[in-house]
Amino acid sequence: MSLFFAVSSTVLSVAVLFYNEWYFEGKERRTFNFLTVGCWVASIGALFAQDWLVFVVFVEVVSLILWRMISFTDTKAALIYLLAQLGAAGLILIGAAGASLEAGTMAVGPVPSEWRWFVLVGLGVKTAFPGVHFWLPKAHSAAPTPASALLSGFAVKLGIYGIARLGTFASSPELLIIGSVMAIFGVLKALMQHDAKRLLAYSTISQLGYIVVSLGLGTLLGLVGALYHALAHALFKGLLFLSVGRLEKFYGTRDLRLLRGSAVWDMPYTFVMFAIGTLAISGFPGMSGFASKVVIKEALKEQGMFPIYWLLQIANVGTVIYFCKLGYYGFLGGDKRGSIKIRERLSSSCSSLGFVGMGMLAAGTVFLGFKPEIVSGFFKISMPGFFGWDNVFSSLLVVSLGVGIFYLVKDFLSSGFRGSVVLDGLWKKIQHVPLAVHFVIVKMHSGRLRFYLTVVVFATLAILLYLAKHWR
């Protein structure tokens, strides 16, 4: 399992390093290359950690590096991201410490049930479970494009990896429910977005829902489906972020209402890369997303989880719709009369190195789609019939239905419709709470030794009473 995630982390990091050569200049390029390598090294450390403490330390190194990347463009969004990650780390450590007291070990793996929820919620924050996802759209909107690719490509996958190790081969009804909600919630929120990077951020939540559902099955086939889709998602979502980054770099905006779709004429090679990523995430036959979703659907059918199977099919239709929206208004909806200034900028600033990175991700996406038996062979399971008529027909039907629905509602989707932002606005309502806690703590620092000794005594008594209760 660790090796599988390490491969996706390595491929994406190398692709981003090539992309950095085009995206940044001078000292900033060197800084981001250094941070990218550091992020990769820390992620490898987390993936091969043997206990939860070491795992959390390496994961938080990744968080600190991404915080630094995001802070180049938006310090507030970077701070929100960092606080969310540190809070999640605290929950994981509480659960790990409790598991150590009860079971005598902090080894990465299942923990006693009464401590499991601490670890699961902490990992859930890092995986952007609905309700605790507030940091993800903000971070993606603010981050430079290479940081967004790293964040979505494998930083959130560290949370997925932790969940996989937490309940390996154990059926989890809560994960089935959470994953199903993520798949639908992400689609509904993505449909409301006009910021291309926020759309991709909510798309990440939806795709992670597939992975969480697959892990929740607690079967070998479910685990293989989750790992396959995690690798496929790292490739095609990284490719999609890098494609949108080129749009933003050349047009100066990523607002779909302003782009109005002439990029296919101005940026044909970028469009090809975007198209490969879109076909993959839509589950089109011959792409990595098709093969990984086939495994997940087979795992669901194997366990008789047909309601969730159809829920994910509906989510897939929604995925096709919002990527039609992104493709139409970002690339295809205009005419050939592009901006002269934009074309001059394209001709003077195009770099083959940027396309090398994107080409790596595109090649991996297509290769995993046409050779899915490599993954099933790696895990030594038999998965015949990837390209059976039922799988191909099901995929083409979903894609056709999504394209047809988009054609009918495309004007509505371009009208500025935003929908509910209750959960996104929740942070604005509660962000004063940490500040209030801070002021209370400041007031408690009275400088009186008697007060400090009293606090220490009562805290020690509380800890001893708790430990005595659990050691009986």
Side-chain angles (χ1 to χ4, degrees), residues 341-417:
K341 292 182 180 180
I342 289 171
R343 288 185 173 176
E344 288 176 351
R345 196 181 337 171
L346 279 167
S347 62
S348 63
S349 64
C350 274
S351 168
S352 58
L353 287 176
F355 279 115
V356 169
M358 296 172 72
M360 287 176 56
L361 300 178
T365 294
V366 175
F367 179 75
L368 284 179
F370 277 103
K371 292 289 185 180
E373 62 273 9
I374 290 178
V375 175
S376 57
F378 180 84
F379 290 99
K380 296 181 173 59
I381 64 169
S382 177
M383 269 294 298
F386 272 101
F387 295 101
W389 73 267
D390 53 338
N391 291 328
V392 173
F393 175 77
S394 173
S395 172
L396 293 177
L397 180 62
V398 166
V399 172
S400 300
L401 187 59
V403 172
I405 293 175
F406 170 75
Y407 180 78
L408 295 174
V409 301
K410 67 178 186 296
D411 293 335
F412 173 71
L413 292 175
S414 70
S415 64
F417 170 67

Side-chain angles (χ1 to χ4, degrees), residues 424-446:
D424 281 345
L426 182 61
W427 172 254
K428 295 180 180 179
K429 297 180 180 179
I430 67 171
Q431 61 183 348
H432 66 280
V433 174
L435 293 176
V437 173
H438 167 74
F439 287 125
V440 169
I441 293 174
V442 169
K443 288 182 179 180
M444 289 175 65
H445 285 259
S446 60

Side-chain angles (χ1 to χ4, degrees), residues 8 23 84 102 107 133 153 158 222 237 260 264 364 398 406 408 425 439:
S8 65
Y23 193 86
E102 187 166 323
H133 70 287
L158 293 175
K237 187 53 69 66
R260 287 301 178 184
V264 66
V398 166
F406 170 75
L408 295 174
F439 287 125

Side-chain angles (χ1 to χ4, degrees), residues 148 175 204 239 331 358 441 465:
S148 292
L175 287 182
T204 293
L239 182 59
F331 288 92
M358 296 172 72
I441 293 174
L465 286 172

Side-chain angles (χ1 to χ4, degrees), residues 193-430:
Q193 306 308 312
H194 295 295
D195 182 320
K197 287 178 72 173
R198 284 182 69 89
L199 184 151
L200 292 178
Y202 282 111
S203 170
T204 293
I205 295 175
S206 179
Q207 296 302 306
L208 292 176
Y210 287 79
I211 301 172
V212 172
V213 162
S214 200
L215 289 174
L217 292 171
T219 63
L220 177 58
L221 192 58
L223 178 62
V224 172
L227 297 181
Y228 199 163
H229 200 57
L231 175 57
H233 182 264
L235 297 175
F236 63 62
K237 187 53 69 66
L239 182 59
L240 288 165
F241 267 111
L242 300 187
S243 300
V244 166
R246 290 184 68 85
L247 275 179
E248 182 182 17
K249 193 83 167 178
F250 289 132
Y251 290 99
T253 182
R254 55 178 186 263
D255 190 324
L256 300 180
R257 293 165 295 188
L258 301 178
L259 287 170
R260 287 301 178 184
S262 62
V264 66
W265 310 112
D266 294 329
M267 309 166 65
Y269 298 116
T270 301
F271 173 70
V272 170
M273 298 297 170
F274 171 80
I276 291 172
T278 296
L279 290 174
I281 198 172
S282 301
F284 193 83
M287 297 292 175
S288 59
F290 165 77
S292 60
K293 288 180 180 180
V294 165
V295 179
I296 293 174
K297 289 186 286 188
E298 288 299 319
L300 286 168
K301 289 190 286 187
E302 180 184 73
Q303 298 298 306
M305 299 288 183
F306 290 101
I308 298 179
Y309 170 90
W310 287 111
L311 199 67
L312 294 187
Q313 290 285 70
I314 293 171
N316 204 5
V317 172
T319 299
V320 176
I321 295 172
Y322 64 71
F323 270 100
C324 283
K325 172 182 175 178
L326 178 54
Y328 183 79
Y329 292 111
F331 288 92
L332 296 169
D335 56 34
K336 294 185 180 181
R337 295 190 298 274
S339 166
I340 295 175
K341 292 182 180 180
I342 289 171
R343 288 185 173 176
E344 288 176 351
R345 196 181 337 171
L346 279 167
S347 62
S348 63
S349 64
C350 274
S351 168
S352 58
L353 287 176
F355 279 115
V356 169
M358 296 172 72
M360 287 176 56
L361 300 178
T365 294
V366 175
F367 179 75
L368 284 179
F370 277 103
K371 292 289 185 180
E373 62 273 9
I374 290 178
V375 175
S376 57
F378 180 84
F379 290 99
K380 296 181 173 59
I381 64 169
S382 177
M383 269 294 298
F386 272 101
F387 295 101
W389 73 267
D390 53 338
N391 291 328
V392 173
F393 175 77
S394 173
S395 172
L396 293 177
L397 180 62
V398 166
V399 172
S400 300
L401 187 59
V403 172
I405 293 175
F406 170 75
Y407 180 78
L408 295 174
V409 301
K410 67 178 186 296
D411 293 335
F412 173 71
L413 292 175
S414 70
S415 64
F417 170 67
R418 293 285 300 174
S420 172
V421 292
V422 173
L423 287 176
D424 281 345
L426 182 61
W427 172 254
K428 295 180 180 179
K429 297 180 180 179
I430 67 171

